[in-house]
């Protein structure tokens, strides 16, 4: 049954503390809908493009939050695969990373990212960012069917 | 001029006026009706709100009364007093006193105490027997059901006053049961309280009135005193027979605002409301007339305005109409004047016109002529007026006159030429332009006649022009011929006659054709009418018999029906062109033969490309015979072969170089060793067209070998010159040249000559050797050895002169001189084989025996030996010595020269090596730099990503701890958590600043003009908002602009000004000054503050990364700002420095070269 459950937010992030902070921030703002966390790039690709889960990816998640620095396969590669595939390119992807580097930002936008957020060090700001992100992409944004 | 037609009645203006009037009136109607609606609405609202107010007032008045009663009955003391009185007759005075107080305080008419049997026991202000029958009945009813309630308004039987009663039950609580002790009856006089309350109208109104009424059977009873009628309370009743009367509606239970008649029959606006808890209905009304009055006034004003507007528009239009009329008349006057001027003008024209103007009436009699007519024809005007149109024509032209004039009837003008006659009888050609015009009085013919004698003359002259055309054609250098349909020449110009001869006309064209020619067929389309012009070339015989090639352009001639009747052709002799063309054609063949015969190999190739456009091979398309000679591959085999296959290699030779030439078309030459053939070639490559190339090559293998030999010689000569070294004569001299010198010397002196090495081995070929030595002695083993030995002895070095001695082999005179290079003895030049009389013939014969030579031959040969006196030979030897010495000098020179060259070569080589090393080092260093740059980039990238992450965790979890577990923390715990949070923030800022700092060095710089004044202003405004409420004086001078990276320079200003603001924030009044000192070639900008300043001792620490001169407690900061400033300014090739004094302020300067000098330095760099 796990395979068919509805996932609203797919969080691809390897730092356990950042995962906890993100999930906490989302919950704090009552955007706890359904969060699925994957902490490994290869695993993320398997989850998205694996045969078992492919059908489900057509309907959801509403947004993918993606870190750039990931074990095995990095975030930009995942973004490239997501935006290069007919089935997944319509899923909004928000890159949320510590990197403020111009080239990461430019490269992400070139690959078609929907939004790029630099994780602030300040937890309050971080909560705000995650809140706005969740509000917009999960609750407000009207996705095509 | 445009004249507007003015009608007697200006309908347009009238229509406009009516339109305006209608719209103004409609507007007035609309406005007043909308005002009326609003007024009505307002009145309705007013009446409604007054009604609401009244209802509320009455309701609350009733409730107050009930509350009074409850105070009376709810008080336990009172109850006890009543009980005592009723049961024991006690306290009467006390109760009376209480009643009195109530009556006076609340303005009641009377208060009575009634016992349970319904008798009045005590009363204040009323009579004790004043209970009417009705009252008694009510009391009985009340005793049965004791609740606090009002009676209806009624007329007291005794007092005949309108009263209202309030029954108050006195209840005593005994255990669980309630017992009625008695009743207090409070009698209220409505005139005192209720009626005034009702009658009071809250606004100023003449007719506003509130009244209470109630339905009683089929009548309506008015309960209060009315405004417009007296003595009405409960006495005034009206039958309910008027359905739209207000009181009728009110008693029907309807509520709301209505219009209708009131009790007087007057139209009113009324609000009808029921009073809750009673059977009363309340009507608040106001007369419609009163409401309408201001409305009517308003309407009056509106209509006055409407009328005013109508009048104004009427006046405006009237004025406009008058203006139009006056303009019209003005224009009329103007037109009339113009007409007058025009007619004068016309008259003038007619009178003085150059053309003759004559007017005829319908009988063709002259009725008007102008002056020109008189002067031309010679008649006076009076004479003219008696004449007829036909009189102007010669007799022979008079017949057609009627016909011409009748043609005018259609109203169109006609122009024709004819002849007229003058009074003196001379005839002259004229052009007549005539027209009929009809006016009220009758028909007139107007004719304008022009004397065209001159024109006729001119036309006649034109006729002569065709002759000129012919002359023109004749003068053209090209041949022009005309043929008829049968190709017979009918006309020729001069050039035509010159070519074909004078008898050409009448001859058939083919008469002049040479050889078999198809010219007739080629030009046939002309005569068929299919073509207009045809070009042919044909060989034709000239009149002198020479055959020339003519180029013909033939043009068809057609008659009026469009049928070809011949052709006009021009021809040009193109024989020379043809020949030139021929020569050119053959010259290609000549080039071909040149290529065929040249000694260099030549080959033409096409480059073969793959799918991606990459050259992969080339095909040999053509080669010359020399190719075979040089390469050794037969032409047939080479042609069409792929280079890689032909030479048996996997990669076509020199493909890169060749492909480049074939692509770019730039010729290229090179020398190369070609391993497949083991040969050296010099190859020149050029491209005749894109994708093709030709090579011209020479086999330079021999030349190469020779060069290598020379190279070897030079290398041999490079060693230092001393006696131990291995220097050889043949390395120092060209042996061929030496041989020539030696031969010439021998021939001139007649002595034999040879040059040997120091051991006597010959280096040159012997010259002028005698038979004896060459063919006899040297042919024997012993003899040869002796010769060599003798030669060696002969060459022993002497400084002062040649060695002269008898030959050790044979005994002839020999001489020798040594040749040296410096101290090194390298060769001997030997001469000799001279016989003089002093020689011992006998011993010589013995020697022949000794070496085993034939004695006979020896003797014969000896006889042939050159004979010379010894003195002469000695002279020859002396000159030999001089030669040898000269050769020695040359040898030394050669050596030195070689050494110099070698030195140079070595030096060149060294420089080349050094350069190469340097280059390698630069490349290596660049690589290292790039690598370290990459490393640095990777480092800052990971700093950016990885260092922030744990900080976020620190901050985040500390905050969560603070938010969710603060109840479990004491004050110290909270403080410690805050320390963690603050420090992670500081660390975050440090990382951000550090990254910004490193980014500045990597960032690419843009250069644009910067408006510095504007930039500083905007930076200050931006920063100032963090210091709101502070007393800041900001002095910004006019500062010059600069070229630079605007985002970087902005950062400089931000850092410097924010520092100034920060470090002066402790002052009452902060003074910040920004300015610039313009020096010769640079601008020095500065930011000055009156802040805490710094000690100049530490000025060297100002610009270091993370260097701070103040504690974090005093001023926040990361210590990166000024370092960043320095880096940016350094990148702009400027300087930055600071001056300060503790507690007095600081000034920071940065200099940037001004635009021009910056430009200059850019150019230099």
């Amino acid at each position: 049954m796990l395979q068919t459950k509805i996932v609203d937010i797919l969080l691809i992030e390897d730092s356990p503390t950042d995962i906890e902070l993100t999930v906490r921030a989302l919950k704090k703002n009552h955007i706890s809908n359904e969060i699925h966390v994957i902490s490994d790039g290869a695993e993320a690709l398997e989850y998205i493009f694996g045969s078992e889960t492919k059908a489900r990816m057509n309907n959801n998640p509403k947004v993918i939050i993606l870190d750039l620095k990931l074990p095995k396969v990095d975030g930009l590669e995942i973004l490239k695969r997501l935006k290069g595939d007919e089935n997944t390119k319509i899923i909004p992807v928000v890159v949320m990373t510590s990197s403020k580097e111009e080239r990461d930002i430019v490269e992400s936008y070139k690959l078609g990212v929907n939004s790029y957020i630099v994780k602030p060090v300040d937890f309050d700001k971080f909560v705000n960012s995650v809140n706005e992100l969740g509000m917009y992409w999960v609750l407000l944004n009207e996705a095509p069917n | 001029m445009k004249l507007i037609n003015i009608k007697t009645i200006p309908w347009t203006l009238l229509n406009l006026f009516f339109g305006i009037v209608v719209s103004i009136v409609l507007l007035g109607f609309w406005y007043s009706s909308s005002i009326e609606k609003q007024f009505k609405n307002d009145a309705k609202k007013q009446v409604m709100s007054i009604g609401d107010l009244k209802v509320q007032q009455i309701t609350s008045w009733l409730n107050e009364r009930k509350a009074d009663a409850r105070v009376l009955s709810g008080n336990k003391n009172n109850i006890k007093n009543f009980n005592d009185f009723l049961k024991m007759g006690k306290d009467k005075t006390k109760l009376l006193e209480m009643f009195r107080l109530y009556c006076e305080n609340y303005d009641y008419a009377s208060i009575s105490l009634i016992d349970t049997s319904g008798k009045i026991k005590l009363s204040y202000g009323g009579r004790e027997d004043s209970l009417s029958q009705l009252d008694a009945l009510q009391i009985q009813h009340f005793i049965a059901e004791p609740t606090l309630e009002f009676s209806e308004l009624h007329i007291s039987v005794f007092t005949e006053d309108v009263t209202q009663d309030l029954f108050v039950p006195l209840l005593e609580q005994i255990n669980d049961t309630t017992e009625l002790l008695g009743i207090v009856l409070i009698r209220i006089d409505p005139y005192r309280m209720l009626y005034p309350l009702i009658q009071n109208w809250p606004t100023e109104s003449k007719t506003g009135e509130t009244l209470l009424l109630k339905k009683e059977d089929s009548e309506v009873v008015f309960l209060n005193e009315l405004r417009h009628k007296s003595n009405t309370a409960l006495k005034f009743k009206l039958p309910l027979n008027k359905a739209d009367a207000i009181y009728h509606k009110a008693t029907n239970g309807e509520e709301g605002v209505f219009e209708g008649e009131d009790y007087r029959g007057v139209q009113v606006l009324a609000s009808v409301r029921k009073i809750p808890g009673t059977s009363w209905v309340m009507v608040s009304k106001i007369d419609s007339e009163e409401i309408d009055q201001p409305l009517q006034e308003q309407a009056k004003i509106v209509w006055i305005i409407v009328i005013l507007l109508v009048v104004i528009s009427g006046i405006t239009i009237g004025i406009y109409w008058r203006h139009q009329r006056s303009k019209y008349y003005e224009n009329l006057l103007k037109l009339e004047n113009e007409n007058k001027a025009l007619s004068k003008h016309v008259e003038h024209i007619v009178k003085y016109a150059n053309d003759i103007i004559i007017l005829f009436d319908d009988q063709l009699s002259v009725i008007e002529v102008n002056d020109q007519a008189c002067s031309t024809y010679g008649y006076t005007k009076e004479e003219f007026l008696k004449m007829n149109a036909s009189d102007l024509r010669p007799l022979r032209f008079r017949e057609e006159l009627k016909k011409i004039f009748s043609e005018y009837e259609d109203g169109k003008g006609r122009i024709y030429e004819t002849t007229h006659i003058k009074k003196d009888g001379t005839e002259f050609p004229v052009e007549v332009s005539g027209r009929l015009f009809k006016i009220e009085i009758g028909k007139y013919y107007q004719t304008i006649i022009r004397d065209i004698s001159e024109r006729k003359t001119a036309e006649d002259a034109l006729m002569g022009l065709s002759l000129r055309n012919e002359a023109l054609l004749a003068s053209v250098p090209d041949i022009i011929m005309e043929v008829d349909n049968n190709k017979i020449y009918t006309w020729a110009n001069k050039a035509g006659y010159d070519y074909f001869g004078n008898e050409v006309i009448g001859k058939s064209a083919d008469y002049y054709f040479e050889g078999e020619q198809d010219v007739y067929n080629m030009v046939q389309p002309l005569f068929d009418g299919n073509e207009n012009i045809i070009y042919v070339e044909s060989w034709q015989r000239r009149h002198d018999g020479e055959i020339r090639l003519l180029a013909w352009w033939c043009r068809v001639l057609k008659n009026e029906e469009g049928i070809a009747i011949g052709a006009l052709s021009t021809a040009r002799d193109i024989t020379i062109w043809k020949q030139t063309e021929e020569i050119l054609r053959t010259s290609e063949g000549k080039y071909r033969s040149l290529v065929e015969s040249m000694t260099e190999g030549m080959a033409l190739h096409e480059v073969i490309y793959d799918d991606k456009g990459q050259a992969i091979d080339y095909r040999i398309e053509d080669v010359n015979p020399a190719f075979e000679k040089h390469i050794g591959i037969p032409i047939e085999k080479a042609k069409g072969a792929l280079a890689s296959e032909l030479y048996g290699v996997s990669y076509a030779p020199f493909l890169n170089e060749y492909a480049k030439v074939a692509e770019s078309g730039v010729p290229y030459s090179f020398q190369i060793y070609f391993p497949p053939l083991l040969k050296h070639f010099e190859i020149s490559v050029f491209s005749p067209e894109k994708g093709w190339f030709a090579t011209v090559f020479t086999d330079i293998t021999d030349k190469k070998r020779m060069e290598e030999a020379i190279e070897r010689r030079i290398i041999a000569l490079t060693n230092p010159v001393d006696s131990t070294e291995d220097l050889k004569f043949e390395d120092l001299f060209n042996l061929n040249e030496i041989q020539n010198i030696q031969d010439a010397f021998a021939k001139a002196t007649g002595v034999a000559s040879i040059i040997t090495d120091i051991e006597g081995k010959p280096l040159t070929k012997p010259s002028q050797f005698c038979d004896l030595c060459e063919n006899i002695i040297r042919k024997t083993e012993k003899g040869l050895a002796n010769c060599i030995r003798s030669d060696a002895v002969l060459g022993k070095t002497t400084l002062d002169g040649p060695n002269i001695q008898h030959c050790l082999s044979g005994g002839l005179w020999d001489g020798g001189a040594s040749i040296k290079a410096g101290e090194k003895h390298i060769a001997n030049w030997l001469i000799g084989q001279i016989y003089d009389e002093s020689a011992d013939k006998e011993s010589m014969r013995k020697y022949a025996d000794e070496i085993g030579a034939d004695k006979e031959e020896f003797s014969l040969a000896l006889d042939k030996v050159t004979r010379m006196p010894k003195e002469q030979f000695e002279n020859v030897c002396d000159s030999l010595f001089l030669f040898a010495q000269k050769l020695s000098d040359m040898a030394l020179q050669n050596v030195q020269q070689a050494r110099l060259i070698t030195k140079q070569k070595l030096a060149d080589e060294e420089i080349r090596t050094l350069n190469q090393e340097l280059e390698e080092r630069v490349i290596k260093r660049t690589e290292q730099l790039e690598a370290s740059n990459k490393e640095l980039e990777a480092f800052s990238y990971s700093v950016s990503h990885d260092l922030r992450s744990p900080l976020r965790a620190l901050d985040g979890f500390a905050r969560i701890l603070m938010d969710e577990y603060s109840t479990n923390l004491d004050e110290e715990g909270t403080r410690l958590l805050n320390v963690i949070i603050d420090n992670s923030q500081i660390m975050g800022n440090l990382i951000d600043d550090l990254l910004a700092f490193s980014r500045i060095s990597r960032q690419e710089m843009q250069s644009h003009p910067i408006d510095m004044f504007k930039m500083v202003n905007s930076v200050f405004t931006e920063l100032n908002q963090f210091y709101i409420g502070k007393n800041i004086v900001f002095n910004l001078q006019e500062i010059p602009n600069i070229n630079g990276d605007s985002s970087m320079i902005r950062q400089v200003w931000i850092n410097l000004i924010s520092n100034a603001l920060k470090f002066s924030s402790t002052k009452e009044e902060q003074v910040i000054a920004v300015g610039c000192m313009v020096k010769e070639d640079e601008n020095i900008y500065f930011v000055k503050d009156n802040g805490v300043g710094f000690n100049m001792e530490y000025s060297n620490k100002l610009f270091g990364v993370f260097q701070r001169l103040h504690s974090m407690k005093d001023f926040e900061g990361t210590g990166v700002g000024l370092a960043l400033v320095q880096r940016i300014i350094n990148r702009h090739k400027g300087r930055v420095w600071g001056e300060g004094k503790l507690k007095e302020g600081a000034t920071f300067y940065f200099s940037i070269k001004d635009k021009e000098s910056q430009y200059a330095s850019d150019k230099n760099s």
Side-chain angles (χ1 to χ4, degrees), chain B residues 785-800:
Chain B
N786 284 338
C787 279
I788 288 172
R789 189 155 47 86
S790 171
D791 288 352
V793 173
L794 261 180
K796 72 172 185 274
T797 57
T798 50
L799 292 174
D800 43 357

Side-chain angles (χ1 to χ4, degrees), chain B residues 1103-1121:
Chain B
F1103 298 100
V1105 187
F1106 296 136
Q1107 295 286 3
R1108 307 191 70 251
L1109 297 185
H1110 302 276
S1111 75
M1112 204 66 176
K1113 201 174 76 205
D1114 294 337
F1115 297 103
E1116 284 188 349
T1118 54
V1120 178

Side-chain angles (χ1 to χ4, degrees), chain B residues 505-532:
Chain B
I505 303 300
K507 290 250 168 61
S508 175
D510 64 359
Y511 173 75
Y512 298 96
F513 289 1
E514 273 304 325
E516 279 185 16
Q517 294 195 49
D518 207 10
V519 180
Y520 276 172
N521 277 341
M522 286 164 80
V523 298
Q524 193 52 46
L526 280 185
F527 296 93
D528 296 345
N530 295 334
E531 289 283 347
N532 283 327

Side-chain angles (χ1 to χ4, degrees), chain B residues 166-186:
Chain B
L166 177 58
F167 296 100
V168 186
L170 300 171
L171 297 169
E172 191 186 21
Q173 198 83 20
I174 301 167
N175 298 330
D176 282 344
T177 57
T178 313
E179 196 188 322
L180 183 68
L181 287 177
I183 303 160
V184 172
L185 174 70
I186 298 173

Side-chain angles (χ1 to χ4, degrees), chain A residues 18 24 69 98 104 123-124, chain B residues 941 946 952 955 959 964:
Chain A
D18 278 357
R24 214 172 239 276
K69 235 184 157 202
S98 298
D104 279 342
F123 180 62
D124 285 346
Chain B
Y941 183 80
D946 294 345
R952 189 166 40 255
D955 184 70
R959 269 175 207 262
E964 296 176 15

Side-chain angles (χ1 to χ4, degrees), chain B residues 405-432:
Chain B
F405 274 81
S406 67
E407 275 175 2
Y408 287 143
E409 287 296 327
D410 62 1
K412 286 178 189 158
R414 296 236 163 7
I415 297 178
Y416 57 92
E417 285 178 14
T418 182
T419 306
H420 278 188
I421 185 164
K422 293 183 185 173
K423 192 182 177 185
D424 61 9
T426 51
E427 293 181 9
F428 64 106
V430 290
E431 183 186 78
V432 181

Side-chain angles (χ1 to χ4, degrees), chain B residues 623-767:
Chain B
V623 297
N624 69 346
F627 175 91
E628 184 174 345
K629 201 180 88 200
H630 286 301
I631 306 289
I633 296 173
I635 294 174
E636 311 79 55
K637 204 180 153 195
K639 269 193 189 174
L642 280 176
S644 56
E645 288 168 8
L646 187 68
Y647 303 117
V649 287
S650 57
Y651 187 76
F654 321 127
L655 178 62
N656 269 349
E657 290 83 350
Y658 291 162
K660 213 187 268 172
V661 173
E663 184 62 30
S664 67
V666 180
Y668 177 64
S669 292
F670 60 100
Q671 290 185 359
I672 196 103
Y673 180 65
F674 191 42
L677 300 173
L678 307 173
K679 279 182 172 175
H680 288 276
F681 287 105
E682 179 167 10
I683 305 175
S684 295
V685 199
F686 64 93
S687 170
E689 67 179 283
K690 206 162 181 181
W692 289 72
F693 66 92
T695 53
V696 178
F697 53 90
T698 331
D699 181 351
I700 53 162
T701 315
D702 288 342
K703 198 172 139 202
K704 268 280 158 197
R705 284 194 185 134
M706 222 138 86
E707 276 173 8
E708 275 165 18
I710 290 166
E711 187 71 13
R712 264 206 309 281
R713 227 172 82 196
I714 287 172
I715 289 166
L717 292 175
T718 53
N719 299 319
V721 188
D722 61 43
S723 51
T724 58
E725 72 190 283
D726 185 24
L727 255 187
K728 287 187 178 136
F729 180 83
E730 59 266 36
D731 291 337
L732 288 175
F733 294 99
N734 184 335
L735 282 182
N736 287 337
E737 284 170 22
I738 296 296
Q739 182 78 51
N740 288 342
I741 293 170
Q742 177 204 303
D743 286 350
F745 184 83
K747 207 170 173 185
T749 56
V751 296
S753 181
I754 193 166
I755 295 173
T756 68
D757 65 12
I758 50 175
E759 271 134 23
K761 270 191 219 140
L763 292 170
T764 58
K765 286 180 220 148
S767 35

